[in-house]
Amino acid sequence: MKSLTDLRTGAVAVAAALALAGSARAADAGRPPYLDPAQPVEARVDDLLGRLTLDEKIALVHGDSKFTVAAIPRLGIPRRWLSDGPHGVREDVGPDTFKPANRTDDFATYLPVAVALASTWNPDAARAYGNVIGEEARRRGKDIMLGPGVNIQRTPLNGRTFEYLGEDPFLASRMAVSYIKAVQSHDVSSCVKHFACNSQETERNTVDVQMDERTLHEIYLPAFKAAVQEAGVWCVMGAYNRFRGQQCCENDYLLNQVLKTQWGFKGVVISDWNGTHNGTQAVLGGLDLEMGTAKPYADYYLARQFKEGIEKGAYPMSVLDDKVRRNLRVMFALHFLESRPEGSLNTAAHQETAQRVAEEGMVLLKNAGGALPLDAGAITSIAVIGENAVRLQAHGGGSTEMKALHEITPLEGLIRHSGGRINFTYSQGYGKEAGVAAADRAVRAAKAADVALVVAGLNHERTFDCEGADRNSLDLPYGQDELIRRVAQANPRTVVVLVSGSPVRMGAWLDQVPAVLQAWYAGCEGGRALARVLFGDVNPSGKLPCTFPKKLADSPAYALGAYPGKGGIEPYTEGLLVGYRWFDTKGIEPLFPFGHGLSYTSFAYSDLRLVAGTDSKGPVVTVEFKLTNTGSRAGAEVAQVYVHQAKPSLQRPLRELKGFRKVALKPGERQAVSIPLAREAFAFYDAEKAAWVAEKDDFEIAIGSSSRDLRLRGNFSLPVAATWK
Ligand code: GLC
């Protein structure tokens, strides 16, 4: 059993070898091409590949601890370090277990969860977020960061909804591309996950996802395709589930045909941890790096048994060489053998980014009578109620858990913000152990205060927002519904803040509560961000990246009885109609629609012009309009562009998001906004042609503040049809 010290000693040996090679380099101009950064990457790959023994090649395609891949000291190849996760650099675990290594140098910046990042609808925020992860990964010596997670939200109860970027492939793609480019700009590889269709935790290791080809290409693949073709992501993680009968980590269709052949992916496919199940399928099905298999490392499918298969001719050496090439290519792309940025950890700048993303990601769901923002000068007492007002969330949820250097809770953020001017009382009100007395006490406190603030929601315990299991219902747990009703009866100035990572039902109390703010799990600066939003230092600008249904039966996977599947099969019978695509097409009223989010100011949309044009690939249209801040506060609006085809030859959702822009405006300010739509914005995937098709037809282009609050509409006639692969 290796210790972490052993692993790090190995790094020392490698560094020494590199230094020797370096000094040799200085002395010997004929240094090997693989050590020469001036050489093209492919030349370096070819040269190094030719120097590797069979054992060394095998050592490069499977883990030698929970989160490392062996070094090749003889050739100066350092050990590779992988790390979770999407929200920051996870603490060290292992080396041969998921248990914490109990180091004292692995605290890191705990960023708001991915669904909160998606709620910013701001690719610049995603870039800042990715920069934090890249810099902290470098400082923590991590080469491959296992995120972002981009699985489309098909059911609101997926335990990992909080880790992903919502229900729409266009929004998820835009946010993922910015995130990945930023991370990789620091010589750290992102690893986009989980490829593909890993939309539930129920039976996650075995469930066999079945869907039609068009749904796959229009809904579940686009964010991965954008990660590969636009962001140049270097690693892709195979999912735990099966797809059309084959495990995703060994899936010839997904990995070899779609990812590598159709999309041209040149990087490394990494298995999810213990997601590899069959030696031959792993070898031939497109897996390039096996991690986390529940076996001794030598018994991994891509270890001894793979070597023996090569030696007896069961597999050609070319199969192994391709895997090794991919691993080497990523190493060279990360300047693995050269000096790399030092990075930084837990800096004020990183905490500022965490705070800004948290502020921008909070979604003001309801604000009747201007209940918010709170006027700090006119309020003397606030009753803060709820376990989530004081609960730390960082170290939970599964593989996204973080060892945060600090985490400002909602209550602490409020107290800090008021600077002693406001008297806060705290009552648990609800919680895992709270009893009726806790609720009664909370109601009394609410009655006695100027304002009652219920910090409600979920947490990262299993069957809530947590990997490994789905939620059992849409309901708030621990009797929160009743508590909120009682508090609202006791104090009409009641505000509900939801600390959660997925939609919850609110029907029991929403009518009685003037204001509701979706705060998500807002990271290490979450409490500070929350206070600044509640007191109006910051004007909320978040928009929902997912539909909040009134009840579970309204959402597609339930309405069709398709989830969680029977007999190990999960049929995606709703097809394209995921999220708002379902609610809009079926005419179902959601509780809060996709793209919804209020502001403390108001915005007017005007002067729509659809300017037809062409680009290198054919006709395009530029959506031009004016956005005005008609209120008295500065704010930011996310203008969204939805496209509807008049007479498609195949059934299409009523409308689909194809563009958005976040625009900051001062009071009274008007800005011209221009959003180009290329042919992709009009196309659907034709499975028979295995190609994208944009038909010659009329298209309604609607611009609005949410998918249900459309302010401008125009008609665009696509003059010619187009088909492309
Ligand atoms: C987990 C997750 C994956 C994570 C990996 C390593 O089970 O599915 O997202 O990166 O294992 O912790």
Side-chain angles (χ1 to χ4, degrees), residues 67 84 90 98 146 160 193-194 204 237 240 272-273 399 467:
F67 284 95
D84 289 311
R90 185 180 184 179
F98 280 113
L146 304 171
R160 300 182 82 168
K193 65 187 186 181
H194 306 87
R204 71 175 182 168
M237 185 188 292
Y240 276 134
D272 199 339
W273 268 238
S399 58
E467 175 180 347

Side-chain angles (χ1 to χ4, degrees), residues 634-699:
E637 168 71 321
V638 179
Q640 301 154 42
V641 181
Y642 294 88
V643 174
H644 160 78
Q645 182 173 351
K647 297 186 292 303
S649 60
L650 296 176
Q651 189 219 8
R652 297 191 70 172
L654 179 62
R655 59 177 65 89
E656 299 170 76
L657 179 76
K658 295 299 179 185
F660 63 87
R661 186 70 41 77
K662 187 162 202 173
V663 182
L665 293 168
K666 297 184 183 63
E669 183 184 2
R670 165 173 295 186
Q671 251 191 49
V673 183
S674 171
I675 300 175
L677 298 182
R679 63 183 185 177
E680 286 77 5
F682 304 97
F684 59 80
Y685 186 79
D686 184 322
E688 282 174 23
K689 296 175 181 156
W692 291 90
V693 173
E695 294 178 319
K696 181 178 182 302
D697 196 355
D698 288 338
F699 291 84

Side-chain angles (χ1 to χ4, degrees), residues 66-67 82-86 90 93 98 145-147 149 151 160 163-164 191 193-194 198 201 204-205 237-240 271-275 291-292 398-400 467-468:
K66 255 309 180 242
F67 284 95
L82 295 81
S83 169
D84 289 311
R90 185 180 184 179
V93 297
F98 280 113
M145 284 301 294
L146 304 171
N151 294 102
R160 300 182 82 168
E163 282 190 59
Y164 301 148
C191 180
K193 65 187 186 181
H194 306 87
N198 184 182
E201 290 299 284
R204 71 175 182 168
N205 298 90
M237 185 188 292
Y240 276 134
S271 72
D272 199 339
W273 268 238
N274 205 26
M291 297 301 293
S399 58
T400 57
E467 175 180 347

Side-chain angles (χ1 to χ4, degrees), residues 44-116:
R44 300 180 74 182
V45 169
D46 286 342
D47 177 54
L48 183 48
L49 181 68
R51 298 169 187 269
L52 293 167
T53 65
L54 176 57
D55 283 331
E56 289 167 341
K57 291 180 182 177
I58 291 288
L60 291 174
V61 298
H62 67 84
D64 72 337
S65 85
K66 255 309 180 242
F67 284 95
T68 61
V69 183
I72 312 284
R74 178 179 74 87
L75 294 167
I77 301 175
R79 179 180 307 283
R80 263 176 294 162
W81 286 83
L82 295 81
S83 169
D84 289 311
H87 309 148
V89 183
R90 185 180 184 179
E91 67 181 307
D92 269 14
V93 297
D96 302 308
T97 159
F98 280 113
K99 291 192 177 64
N102 295 319
R103 299 179 64 84
T104 55
D105 62 354
D106 56 355
F107 292 90
T109 300
Y110 164 45
L111 290 161
V113 296
V115 74

Side-chain angles (χ1 to χ4, degrees), residues 152-189:
I152 291 300
Q153 185 187 143
R154 170 179 183 251
T155 153
L157 299 194
N158 178 6
R160 300 182 82 168
T161 295
F162 72 100
E163 282 190 59
Y164 301 148
L165 297 169
E167 71 189 30
D168 181 82
F170 182 84
L171 175 63
S173 300
R174 295 309 97 218
M175 301 305 281
V177 165
S178 289
Y179 174 122
I180 292 164
K181 282 181 174 176
V183 171
Q184 299 196 156
S185 69
H186 297 275
D187 285 349
V188 173
S189 175

Side-chain angles (χ1 to χ4, degrees), residues 484-533:
I484 294 169
R485 283 160 46 85
R486 291 180 62 198
V487 165
Q489 283 160 3
N491 187 328
R493 292 186 68 186
T494 292
V495 173
V496 172
V497 171
L498 291 167
V499 172
S500 58
S502 49
V504 296
R505 244 166 63 143
M506 308 179 206
W509 46 264
L510 186 59
D511 294 345
Q512 297 145 51
V513 170
V516 182
L517 179 74
Q518 176 67 40
W520 308 113
Y521 301 111
C524 60
E525 295 291 326
R528 191 194 315 270
L530 175 64
R532 282 166 48 83
V533 169

